[in-house]
Amino acid sequence: MTRRPFLRAVAAAALSVSFAQPALAQAPAFPTKPLKFVVPFPAGSATDNVARIVAQAMGEALGQSVAVDNKPGANGILGAEQVKSAPADGYTLLVTTSTTQAANVSLYKKLSYDPVKDFTPIGKIGLTGFVLMVRPDFPAANLKDFLTYAKANPGKLSFGHGSAGSLVSGALLNKMGGIQATSVAYKGIPPALTDLIGGSLQYAFADVGNAVAQMKGGKLKGLAVTTPRRASRAPEVPTIAEAGLPGYEVVAWFGLMAPANLPADVHKKLSDTLMAVLAKPEVREKIAGAGVDPDPQDAAALARTIDVEIKRWAQWVKDAGIQPE
C-alpha cells in the first residue's frame, strides 16, 4: 500500500471510531423500564409487606416503578423458579426469605433450584420471628398451659404453617414440648390464620407483623414468640425459651436476589440503591411497623449469611424431626 492510500485508510478508521464513541457514551443507564419484585408468598404475608415497602422506596430512588408480583406455592419454590428462569438483566428480582434461600435445602430431597448458584445476592433487608397464636377461647393463658393441654389431648390438635419458619416453629415445639399435633400446609401464613380464626385449626405460628394485627383486633391471642429476645412490637409476649423451653429459637429473614450472572454494573446499582433506601429513617420505620427488624446487609454480606443460614436451618430441621419430602 502506498503512503497516500494508507493515510486515507487510517483517517477513515479514526473517523469511524469517533462516530462509535458518542454512540457508546449515550447508551442509557440501568434502569430504563419498570422492574418487578416476585414475592413467593401471598398478599398480606410478611414477605409481601416488606416487598411493597422496599419496592416503593427503590422505585423512587431508581426513577422507575417497581411492580410486586405474588407467586405463592410450594413453600416459595414457584416464585424462586420464576426468578431463576428470568433474564439476568436486573428487571426481575426475588424478594427472598430464609425459607426459599436456606431452609428448603433441608426440607426437600430434590430442590428444583440451587439457592446459591442460581441467584445473585443484592442485599439483606431484615429479620422476624413467629408468635404462637391461638383463638381467644383456647383453654391456655400461657405456654405452660398450652403444653399441658396439648399433652392431655395427644394427636387431637392441628397447626397451620405457610412457610419454613412457621413449619419448623411448630415441629420444634412438638419435639421440645413433648406434644403430638398434626401440621397442615398452606400457601402462606394469612390463609392459615383465616382457618385458625374459623376454628378448623387449634394453633399456628404467625410472623410478628401478622400476629400483632390479629392480637390488636382481638381475633387471636399470642402465647409466646420464637426469637431469643422479645419482639419490639409485642413486648408483652414472652419468648418460648423464657416461657419454659430453654434453647428454643427460630428466626427468619428477608432479602433481595436476582438471577445468576447479573452484569456487574447493574448488580452494583441495585445493591447500592437497596442499601441507600434501607438507611432512610422513614423506610426503616415502615419496615419495623410491619413487624420486621431492619437488618441491612450488602450483597457480599448476604452471600455469607446464606451460606451460614443453610447450615443453621439444616440443624433446626433436624432438631425438629422433620423428614425431607
Side-chain angles (χ1 to χ4, degrees):
M1 179 182 291
T2 63
R3 180 177 178 77
R4 185 170 294 175
F6 172 76
L7 291 176
R8 283 201 298 267
V10 171
L15 186 62
S16 67
V17 170
S18 68
F19 277 115
Q21 285 178 335
L24 291 174
Q26 293 173 7
F30 172 87
T32 60
K33 61 181 182 179
L35 287 75
K36 178 171 70 174
F37 280 3
V38 175
V39 175
F41 295 100
S45 63
T47 315
D48 178 70
N49 294 334
V50 166
R52 293 180 188 279
I53 294 168
V54 175
Q56 181 179 354
M58 286 189 69
E60 292 172 356
L62 292 169
Q64 293 286 347
S65 63
V66 181
V68 174
D69 180 17
N70 295 93
K71 189 75 173 179
N75 222 30
I77 292 176
L78 298 185
E81 288 177 337
Q82 180 175 328
V83 175
K84 168 193 171 182
S85 303
D89 55 11
Y91 289 99
T92 301
L93 305 173
L94 177 68
V95 182
T96 194
T97 73
S98 44
T99 291
T100 46
Q101 234 61 40
N104 279 350
V105 174
S106 298
L107 292 174
Y108 296 91
K109 293 178 181 178
K110 186 176 181 181
L111 197 58
S112 56
Y113 62 89
D114 187 306
V116 175
K117 295 179 181 179
D118 290 335
F119 300 92
T120 301
I122 302 300
K124 185 181 176 185
I125 298 169
L127 305 165
T128 194
F130 301 90
V131 180
L132 171 59
M133 307 293 290
V134 296
R135 285 164 49 99
D137 58 357
F138 189 89
N142 51 49
L143 180 64
K144 182 180 178 180
D145 292 345
F146 175 88
L147 294 177
T148 298
Y149 180 84
K151 289 177 181 178
N153 295 275
K156 295 181 181 180
L157 304 186
S158 59
F159 72 92
H161 61 87
S163 67
S166 55
L167 168 62
V168 172
S169 294
L172 193 58
L173 181 67
N174 289 354
K175 185 89 176 281
M176 293 181 68
I179 63 177
Q180 298 175 25
T182 302
S183 65
V184 182
Y186 291 82
K187 288 186 176 181
I189 290 173
L193 294 182
T194 298
D195 278 3
L196 174 58
I197 293 170
S200 57
L201 299 173
Q202 283 69 55
Y203 66 102
F205 280 86
D207 59 274
V208 172
N210 272 299
V212 170
Q214 297 297 342
M215 287 189 290
K216 285 184 176 180
K219 294 182 177 180
L220 296 172
K221 62 182 179 181
L223 300 182
V225 65
T226 66
T227 47
R229 292 180 297 276
R230 295 193 181 197
S232 58
R233 290 203 64 208
E236 75 282 4
V237 180
T239 69
I240 290 178
E242 72 176 294
L245 295 179
Y248 184 105
E249 176 186 345
V250 178
V251 181
W253 52 267
F254 308 90
L256 193 61
M257 306 286 284
N261 303 313
L262 190 69
D265 58 331
V266 175
H267 185 206
K268 186 176 188 307
K269 182 70 171 288
L270 288 169
S271 185
D272 288 352
T273 301
L274 177 62
M275 292 300 100
V277 301
L278 291 178
K280 294 183 177 181
E282 63 271 24
V283 175
R284 295 174 67 89
E285 185 177 345
K286 288 180 181 178
I287 291 174
V292 175
D293 295 326
D295 186 33
Q297 290 184 358
D298 64 15
L302 176 56
R304 293 191 295 270
T305 291
I306 291 173
D307 182 62
V308 171
E309 286 288 294
I310 288 174
K311 299 179 180 68
R312 190 184 195 197
W313 280 89
Q315 186 63 50
W316 280 341
V317 168
K318 180 180 178 182
D319 291 346
I322 300 173
Q323 297 300 316
E325 297 180 10

